[in-house]
Amino acid sequence: MDDKDLQWCVEQDFPAGTELTPLEREREAHQAFADARCRVYIGRQEYFVSIDENLKKGSNQPFVLLGESGSGKSALVANWAKQVRERQPNWFVFVHFIGSSAESASYIKLLRRLYEEIKDFFGFDLSIPSSDANLVTDLSKWLHLAAARNKCVIVFDALNQLDDGTGTEDLPSSVFLLLSTLPGKAMDAINSFEWPSMRVKPLDPSQKMEIITGYLEGLYSKTLSKEQKEMIVEVPQTDNPLYLKSLLDEVRVYGSFSKLTRKIEEYLTASNPGDLFAKILDRLETDFENEEEFEKALVRETTTAIWCSHRGMAESEIVDLLEVPSAIWSPFYLSIVENLVNRNGILNFFHDHLRQAVETKYLSTPEAKRKAYLNLANFFEKRELDERVVDELPFLLARAGDLERLRKTISNLDVFKIMVKSEDGMFELIKSWKLLGDFTQVEETYLAKLSEIPESQKHSEKFSDLLNDLGTFFVHIGLYGAARNVYEKLIQDLESRYAVSHGTVVYHPWNYSWKYCSQHPDVINTGTIATGTIATGQY
């Protein structure tokens, strides 16, 4: 089979137009995070019963899951939400795993995703609020509209990692809000509100033994001796489900059976999941960083790239970044894959404890972070411009503090056209310009770029689309004069293109004159915006 045959097969299975939307990609990311926690789940039935009872009450207060880090709250949330979707397929069920990606902890990102999911599920003909303040203040209205249509279940997992908050108003009775959090400010606030709650308890010995058997033997046909199982069960660290799963993953891939008991003892010296992940990174370095075969620090470079990225890294991107041979990459990937989540081909960390361990071990200083961000930005900047590059490059340059390159990147009209095609991209573009200062420079920058376009490329559909996108963006950020200027250019361009096919003569009753213009729908729509919406300063 040659390249053309392969391309034909791919196009048959994935024809143009079937690409996932930004909303669908984000939905897939959180679903992948949930699926990874649903494979083997040993939990108390009383947890599900308690949550279901509060769901049936129709209370106007959230229900809160409390517990230590790694205690299984995310797994409980994922498995309970899965049951609800199976029982009630017509309900609106929204689950957001805070801390599952670099920006999932942004309350603005969370709210935007919630608005988008509500709009998509219920088919609301409403514009999602464009300002941060309105995202908060309009939420109650949207929830009441949704609750009037059907039952709504909204879950925010790991509320303690949220970067900001504004309090919670009383909920409609048809909205059930489930939260989970660790001890800290979020839990203190919840206690002061006196919201109903339930504590997720540590694993007991029988549950731990059931997990060891179900996970190792059930999924991987890996058997431990009775003594090895008891060694794991007896220590208090493995009361934590995350600690236990991570330990079992290490046991599963360890090659020497004769030395396995000693290795288990070594791992059990870690007092918490964070310390355990540090030991796992040390083990990976020992196994896969051989200077004679591959000179780069494979573990460091891979994990820091994932840590720095906006969404995560595709396997092919990591291989290209490191220029690592497949003979070295494949066994390393198989050794680390259980600690990663695959979200539509993009790899990210399974748990925030691993993210924190990578930061502590490799990125402990601001300068180390800056160099890592720039290294990854340089990699994406050299790639052919596409949605993936645009998704990562502005984010990386902003985090690195390289504002001049950020300005140059988002001033590129090809980058601009990709970013404004989605709500999320528009949000990132606005955030980038805010980081660069106020919006006074935006009009000058983009109009200067417009003037650089050769005349031969103007008066085309692509140029019209660009003008329309610029007008929409200017309205979005409140530059109404700039928007009207661009829309007037667009009208002139459209009228020149459709003058023959949709031309007409119009009598002007105010000054008793005749005018030749176009009646093409695009011209009419643009004229309506330019003379109506822009003039009144509305959007």
Side-chain angles (χ1 to χ4, degrees), residues 422-473:
S422 68
E423 289 280 351
D424 194 55
M426 181 76 82
F427 174 79
E428 290 296 331
L429 183 60
I430 293 173
K431 189 169 72 172
S432 295
W433 279 112
K434 282 183 178 179
L435 184 63
L436 293 170
D438 56 38
F439 293 138
T440 56
Q441 58 192 314
V442 176
E443 177 182 5
E444 180 182 353
T445 298
Y446 284 131
L447 292 183
K449 290 292 182 181
L450 271 182
S451 67
E452 297 174 4
I453 297 176
E455 286 297 324
S456 60
Q457 297 180 17
K458 296 181 180 179
H459 309 296
S460 65
E461 187 173 347
K462 287 185 177 180
F463 185 71
S464 298
D465 289 343
L466 173 59
L467 290 175
N468 187 57
D469 289 340
L470 279 170
T472 301
F473 180 64

Side-chain angles (χ1 to χ4, degrees), residues 470-507:
L470 279 170
T472 301
F473 180 64
F474 288 153
V475 171
H476 227 83
I477 60 178
L479 298 178
Y480 300 116
R484 179 157 187 163
N485 182 18
V486 169
Y487 280 131
E488 287 176 348
K489 292 179 184 295
L490 176 57
I491 291 173
Q492 293 174 4
D493 176 65
L494 292 171
E495 285 186 334
S496 67
R497 287 170 53 201
Y498 298 116
V500 175
S501 60
H502 292 75
T504 187
V505 177
V506 178
Y507 178 69

Side-chain angles (χ1 to χ4, degrees), residues 383-426:
R383 296 172 69 88
E384 182 178 353
L385 188 65
D386 58 13
E387 289 186 3
R388 178 75 183 123
V389 171
V390 172
D391 198 26
E392 290 289 340
L393 186 55
F395 168 85
L396 293 167
L397 293 174
R399 289 297 177 96
D402 195 336
L403 300 187
E404 189 55 40
R405 284 175 66 188
L406 175 62
R407 184 192 308 276
K408 181 179 178 181
T409 298
I410 63 175
S411 298
N412 183 324
L413 290 176
D414 291 328
V415 172
F416 169 84
K417 286 187 290 186
I418 294 175
M419 296 188 79
V420 297
K421 289 303 181 184
S422 68
E423 289 280 351
D424 194 55
M426 181 76 82

Side-chain angles (χ1 to χ4, degrees), residues 246-312:
S246 302
L247 174 64
L248 295 179
D249 283 331
E250 285 297 290
V251 168
R252 177 179 60 82
V253 299
Y254 194 71
S256 175
F257 183 79
S258 61
K259 299 179 181 178
L260 181 57
T261 298
R262 186 183 305 170
K263 195 64 179 178
I264 292 174
E265 291 175 342
E266 178 186 337
Y267 279 130
L268 291 177
T269 61
S271 59
N272 55 62
D275 291 344
L276 180 59
F277 279 120
K279 289 183 176 294
I280 292 172
L281 291 173
D282 289 339
R283 192 272 302 172
L284 290 169
E285 287 182 351
T286 300
D287 289 351
F288 296 102
E289 293 189 356
N290 188 326
E291 293 184 2
E292 294 180 0
E293 297 180 17
F294 185 65
E295 61 181 12
K296 294 183 179 178
L298 182 60
V299 181
R300 173 193 291 267
E301 297 294 334
T302 299
T303 56
T304 55
I306 295 174
W307 188 94
C308 290
S309 63
H310 188 193
R311 308 288 184 190

Side-chain angles (χ1 to χ4, degrees), residues 214-257:
Y215 189 66
L216 285 184
E217 298 179 10
L219 284 182
Y220 298 105
S221 301
K222 181 84 172 184
T223 303
L224 297 181
S225 68
K226 180 181 178 181
E227 291 75 15
Q228 289 168 337
K229 290 179 181 178
E230 290 177 348
M231 183 190 310
I232 295 173
V233 168
E234 288 173 358
V235 296
Q237 301 96 297
T238 55
D239 294 354
N240 182 290
L242 175 63
Y243 187 109
L244 178 57
K245 179 194 176 297
S246 302
L247 174 64
L248 295 179
D249 283 331
E250 285 297 290
V251 168
R252 177 179 60 82
V253 299
Y254 194 71
S256 175
F257 183 79

Side-chain angles (χ1 to χ4, degrees), residues 92-129:
F92 172 72
V93 180
F94 174 89
V95 184
H96 188 93
F97 293 96
I98 302 164
S100 63
S101 64
E103 288 209 287
S104 62
S106 164
Y107 81 94
I108 294 299
K109 287 281 190 177
L110 183 155
L111 290 176
R112 290 189 63 82
R113 178 176 172 244
L114 177 56
Y115 275 99
E116 290 173 358
E117 290 286 9
I118 291 175
K119 181 175 181 177
D120 182 69
F121 185 87
F122 292 102
F124 287 163
D125 187 19
L126 297 170
S127 296
I128 296 173

